[in-house]
Amino acid sequence: MTHTPSTSHPITIHWRQQGRVITHQVNEGEYILQSFERQGDPLPFSCRNGCCTACAVRVLDGEIDQREALGLSRELRERGYGLLCVARATGPLVVETQDEDEVYDLQFGRHFGRGRVRAGLPLDEE
Ligand code: FES
């Protein structure tokens, strides 16, 4: 009998900021962000907890395991966004990285939290 290797899946990432398309085999159940790092491709991230959206991607083909993506609204999940730091490989997948802050802006609004909105304060100097 030959030893059966554990299942792995081809995960392709269009890394738009770097103009590269990279594919690695990721073991079933392994975090995609972590696996890519281990294989020499450290993709953008910040919190690693599924909260900050720095690692967000848009799914082009396949499905992403979203159980732990707490920082992503249901609406954005339905629009095909996912968070790589908490996404585990469950099958072949093709995704593309977001524009800088694309997901953050979609979720929270372009000016929220950037010091441009002074909620409730009338601006007298116009
Ligand atoms: S690194 Fe923060 S959500 Fe993935």
Side-chain angles (χ1 to χ4, degrees), residues 22-44:
I22 33 183
T23 303
H24 289 302
Q25 288 293 132
V26 176
N27 294 328
E28 170 92 25
E30 194 180 359
Y31 287 126
I32 295 171
L33 186 81
Q34 217 168 51
S35 175
F36 268 63
E37 260 170 18
R38 198 168 40 74
Q39 301 185 66
D41 284 308
L43 292 151

Side-chain angles (χ1 to χ4, degrees), residues 4 8 11 21-22 48 51 54 58 60-61 64 67 73-74 82 85 92 97 102 108 119 124:
T4 323
S8 67
I11 309 291
V21 179
I22 33 183
R48 289 181 182 277
C51 295
R58 205 158 62 81
L60 301 179
D61 196 24
I64 205 162
R67 265 169 296 172
S73 69
R74 170 189 283 265
C85 68
T97 58
E102 176 182 333
F108 301 115
D124 354 274

Side-chain angles (χ1 to χ4, degrees), residues 33 44-56 83-86:
L33 186 81
F45 73 90
S46 180
C47 73
R48 289 181 182 277
N49 279 325
C51 295
C52 75
T53 74
C55 66
L83 300 176
L84 280 191
C85 68
V86 290

